[in-house]
Amino acid sequence: MSGPAHFKKLLELLELERVAEKEENLRELRRFPLATREALGKTVTGLTIDDISTGLGGLPMVRLARSAKGEELAPFHAIGAGDNALLTFPSGSQPASCEGTLYKVGEYDAVIALPGPEPGVLARGCCQLDLLGSDATYRRMKKALATVEGARKNRTAVLREVFLGETAAERRRARKISFFNEALNEFQRQAVARALAAADAALIHGPPGTGKTTVLVEIIRQAVAAGQRVLATAPSNIAVDNMLEKLQNCGLRLVRMGHPARTLESLVHSNLSSLAEADPAYAEVRELDAWRERLVKRRSRFGRGQLGYDERQERDREIARLWRQARDLENDISRRIVAGAQVVLSTHGGISRGLVRAGFDLVVLDEASQATEPLSWIPLTMGERAVFAGDSMQLPPTIYSREAARGGLATTLFDRLKDILPENLQALLRVQYRMHEDIMRFSSDQFYEGRLIADESVRLHLAAELPDVETTDLTSVPLVYVDTAGAGFAEGWNELLESRDNEGEARLACRLMERVLASGLDPRRLAIVTPYVAQVKRLKAMAKIPGLEIGSVDGFQGREKEVVIVSLVRSNDGGEVGFLSDVRRMNVAMTRARRLLIVLGDSATIARHPFYSKFVDYADARGAHRSSYEWPE
């Protein structure tokens, strides 16, 4: 497909995806009554405004609270910091509602940052909070695609031709490298060398636990040492923060873009908003915001009857003028800080063209196998060359539209470049530093041609070797497959969530969890994961232990724990495994554990699929195949 046709097709697919995501959100609103949305955690009602203050960047911070009502789950259980939400004010307020970003979230209280001035008129009564999607990233993707398609005789045009296979990727003469991190293994060093030699693009394949972020940090440091500016991006905030955390003590000038609520609290000092507030010129911004707040409070105190119409209008215009003047000055400060940074970090979709200009020598894209092509083009249009790091054997991008996925939106740039770039511009990281060898080996054989190597530091480590953990039949082994065949743990269907669950298997997972914790393991070192959101909800209702994490496989990619229990859920007479057939999801699930992996599943169901049949055989060969009857209720 030619360049123009390719990008025209991507725009069409992107529009299908935008519509599908909106329809999904609307479908939930139409299909679910208010009580149901509250039960799902998508809506919180009965909220009171405890306080309105000014936060980073002069943003109004509204603190919302609701008293405990003895719910099964606290009202904010499904909401997290960084989520976009619609705040509806009490009837009679002006404006009636406002979109914002959740800044802090507790069980019964939350703080939401509003993008503009606080409400001019705030009536008495209760508020409502609804989780939202956002069109901002779609707009940025469309703009990036238009930029790429229209590029002529510049680096974006060259990258476009290389990524379409129209021009061969070039490789520069390799230079001798003095590594900052001398602990890098031979495969990591090879990846760094190939990335630095790439004139256009390089690919780093990073299977679970092989340290691809560590490699990217070395590449970034080498580029900066050579006098280059770097843009480091990823599709998720946690991946961006992982890079930032590893870079923050390297003596570099770093700027983390994005809303402060989406940055880990321990790293917020590197966020652009924090850096701007620390700038001496920000004192004028504070003065403008303070004067505006005084006018707002005076407006609230005097009310409508104390001033004439013209006086009220003039006062409101002055409040708006002070807000705009403060934000313009703040943007000038921010642009200066970004321009002076050696490394700018952001999510792909969080890059603001108003603050970040093109002109980066290197763009580093982490989790490149989880970003759609239009999303990846946002940072790529700003750089001279690119290094992609990812793993196509783990989870792909989340796509709402099946038609768009089938049409090609599910094919990432990382996927295409695997077949386009020559071998000397690609590198596979082979030594992993996370898993016991028995946990690693099945994944290595099934997905990586048996090429992974367990480092000596982790090759034989067990949960029983952790401080204060006793040796038991579980903590003394690395792998346990608990077969629920014949136990009567039939799967169920949650109409509300449109997802599978399995009550019997959930109870068994909790018993195994209790058994492991009884050996002395800290709950913060254990996680229960499952592919199905309905099973997540069921498990959370059963296991309320501080520090224990329960979540979906998709939400746990990039994470690890010392002990992980995986609930596969499926148990039916037809041997149907549903979306468990996307074995990449199981590659993620089975590689989160460092010292002990416990997998629960009905062999009579799952073993009808070739992948799971091989897993059952693998567990058999290692004496790890056990029966659920060993842990009766």
Side-chain angles (χ1 to χ4, degrees):
M1 188 180 293
S2 67
H6 176 75
F7 290 101
K8 180 182 178 183
K9 180 69 172 177
L10 283 179
L11 283 169
E12 293 171 356
L13 298 176
L14 198 58
E15 183 61 22
L16 288 174
E17 176 65 5
R18 186 189 69 83
V19 170
E21 184 176 5
K22 279 185 172 291
E23 286 178 349
E24 176 65 21
N25 290 332
L26 288 172
R27 189 170 64 89
E28 288 185 357
L29 283 170
R30 294 190 194 107
R31 187 162 58 92
F32 298 156
L34 182 61
T36 300
R37 284 183 57 81
E38 284 196 273
L40 291 173
K42 299 290 184 74
T43 295
V44 183
T45 60
L47 294 168
T48 58
I49 296 178
D50 281 6
D51 181 52
I52 300 179
S53 59
T54 301
L56 286 173
L59 299 174
M61 310 290 278
V62 181
R63 184 178 181 276
L64 306 163
R66 194 175 90 178
S67 59
K69 297 181 179 179
E71 297 107 331
E72 179 183 343
L73 295 172
F76 292 101
H77 71 92
I79 295 174
D83 286 344
N84 293 324
L86 175 70
L87 177 60
T88 303
F89 299 109
S91 178
S93 299
Q94 295 178 7
S97 62
C98 185
E99 292 186 21
T101 303
L102 284 152
Y103 192 76
K104 291 182 180 178
V105 178
E107 287 187 310
Y108 294 94
D109 63 343
V111 176
I112 184 170
L114 305 182
E118 54 272 14
V121 176
L122 186 59
R124 292 186 177 183
C126 291
C127 300
Q128 178 172 315
L129 196 71
D130 292 275
L131 286 183
L132 288 180
S134 172
D135 268 353
T137 301
Y138 283 102
R139 289 195 298 270
R140 287 172 179 165
M141 286 191 281
K142 286 182 178 180
K143 188 172 182 179
L145 291 176
T147 299
V148 178
E149 198 278 325
R152 299 292 183 270
K153 296 182 180 180
N154 59 15
R155 285 302 300 171
T156 298
V158 172
L159 291 179
R160 178 192 65 213
E161 291 166 3
V162 170
F163 296 170
L164 288 173
E166 298 172 353
T167 302
E170 295 187 4
R171 189 174 187 273
R172 303 179 299 197
R173 189 170 65 180
R175 62 178 175 84
K176 187 176 180 180
I177 302 171
S178 177
F179 290 95
F180 289 100
N181 185 351
E182 295 182 354
L184 294 178
N185 64 55
E186 61 176 305
F187 303 104
Q188 292 174 324
R189 289 174 181 242
Q190 182 184 70
V192 172
R194 290 183 176 181
L196 295 177
D200 303 304
L203 239 61
I204 297 171
H205 302 267
T210 53
K212 66 179 172 62
T213 304
T214 299
V215 171
L216 292 182
V217 166
E218 180 70 27
I219 293 168
I220 291 168
R221 295 181 71 182
Q222 292 288 341
V224 172
Q228 300 174 5
R229 290 188 75 223
V230 180
L231 175 61
T233 69
S236 70
N237 282 288
I238 190 64
V240 176
D241 284 344
N242 284 341
M243 287 191 284
L244 175 58
E245 190 170 31
K246 291 179 181 292
L247 285 165
Q248 65 174 342
N249 295 320
C250 296
L252 306 178
R253 295 192 303 277
L254 309 170
V255 174
R256 164 69 155 99
M257 300 197 71
H259 198 289
R262 298 189 179 100
T263 302
L264 290 175
E265 192 169 348
S266 60
L267 302 172
V268 77
H269 61 277
S270 295
N271 188 277
L272 180 57
S273 294
S274 296
L275 294 170
E277 286 207 353
D279 191 280
Y282 202 85
E284 186 178 348
V285 178
R286 290 192 182 91
E287 290 177 8
L288 291 168
D289 282 334
W291 177 238
R292 176 178 55 81
E293 287 182 17
R294 285 194 292 271
L295 288 179
V296 170
K297 289 179 180 177
R298 191 179 303 169
R299 175 175 63 185
S300 300
R301 186 165 65 250
F302 288 114
R304 293 178 61 86
Q306 303 296 318
L307 296 174
Y309 175 80
D310 290 342
E311 291 174 297
R312 291 200 308 273
Q313 290 292 99
E314 177 59 31
R315 177 199 57 203
D316 290 346
R317 281 194 294 269
E318 178 66 3
I319 289 171
R321 186 190 67 79
L322 289 169
W323 169 268
R324 188 68 266 153
Q325 187 177 346
R327 302 292 73 77
D328 288 344
L329 179 56
E330 183 180 41
N331 285 337
D332 289 341
I333 296 169
S334 297
R335 276 190 288 268
R336 174 166 47 80
I337 292 171
V338 171
Q342 294 168 310
V343 184
V344 176
L345 300 102
S346 173
T347 58
H348 296 340
I351 304 170
S352 171
R353 276 282 188 177
L355 299 177
V356 181
R357 305 300 183 192
F360 290 95
D361 301 285
L362 174 65
V363 178
V364 169
L365 300 92
D366 199 4
E367 291 187 343
S369 51
Q370 293 177 55
T372 62
E373 180 170 342
L375 187 61
S376 296
W377 275 116
I378 297 174
L380 287 170
T381 58
M382 301 181 186
E384 296 286 309
R385 60 193 184 91
V387 173
F388 297 79
D391 180 10
S392 55
M393 293 295 102
Q394 295 189 60
L395 286 170
T398 299
I399 296 179
Y400 291 89
S401 168
R402 292 183 180 179
E403 184 180 352
R406 288 193 300 267
L409 193 61
T411 302
T412 67
L413 269 177
F414 191 90
D415 291 330
R416 289 207 290 108
L417 288 173
K418 284 189 307 179
D419 300 323
I420 292 174
L421 294 183
E423 186 177 332
N424 61 6
L425 289 175
Q426 302 191 51
L428 172 68
L429 305 180
R430 292 181 56 188
V431 180
Q432 66 85 18
Y433 298 88
R434 174 186 299 165
M435 296 164 277
H436 186 288
E437 188 171 38
D438 284 0
I439 300 174
M440 173 203 78
R441 182 56 51 200
F442 182 72
S443 173
S444 177
D445 291 344
Q446 296 300 313
F447 297 100
Y448 308 105
E449 301 176 340
R451 300 173 71 186
L452 299 191
I453 303 165
D455 186 73
E456 282 299 318
S457 63
V458 302
R459 189 171 69 86
L460 298 175
H461 66 177
L462 298 167
E465 296 169 2
L466 291 168
D468 303 319
V469 175
E470 298 174 358
T471 300
T472 70
D473 61 330
L474 293 176
T475 63
S476 61
V477 295
L479 174 67
V480 178
Y481 166 54
V482 182
D483 194 344
T484 65
F489 296 166
E491 65 186 56
W493 176 252
N494 187 310
E495 290 284 353
L496 199 63
L497 299 175
E498 295 186 339
S499 176
R500 306 279 174 186
D501 61 8
N502 190 317
E503 182 179 359
E505 192 169 288
R507 290 199 306 267
L508 176 59
C510 290
R511 293 198 297 277
L512 289 162
M513 173 267 298
E514 290 167 356
R515 182 77 173 267
V516 173
L517 295 182
S519 70
L521 185 77
D522 187 325
R524 292 172 296 182
R525 292 185 161 185
L526 185 148
I528 306 177
V529 300
T530 176
Y532 294 94
V533 293
Q535 187 76 338
V536 171
K537 186 175 187 296
R538 185 176 288 280
L539 285 163
K540 283 185 174 181
M542 290 181 178
K544 298 180 180 180
I545 297 176
L548 173 71
E549 282 196 64
I550 299 173
S552 68
V553 174
D554 296 49
F556 232 78
Q557 181 152 311
R559 306 279 310 285
E560 62 181 53
K561 290 284 185 177
E562 299 293 348
V563 178
V564 173
I565 299 172
V566 180
S567 171
L568 296 182
V569 175
R570 301 309 300 260
S571 180
N572 55 74
D573 294 335
E576 298 173 1
V577 297
F579 83 161
L580 289 186
S581 59
D582 185 347
V583 296
R584 291 174 297 181
R585 181 168 281 103
M586 296 319 300
N587 186 32
V588 173
M590 294 176 177
T591 56
R592 300 307 95 198
R594 288 174 51 79
R595 298 170 186 262
L596 171 58
L597 171 66
I598 302 175
V599 179
L600 283 65
D602 180 354
S603 63
T605 298
I606 65 171
R608 299 192 201 181
H609 186 285
F611 174 84
Y612 296 96
S613 177
K614 290 175 184 176
F615 175 72
V616 173
D617 291 343
Y618 180 83
D620 277 335
R622 279 156 180 75
H625 189 166
R626 301 175 67 175
S627 170
S628 59
Y629 291 109
E630 296 181 45
W631 294 277
E633 290 192 74

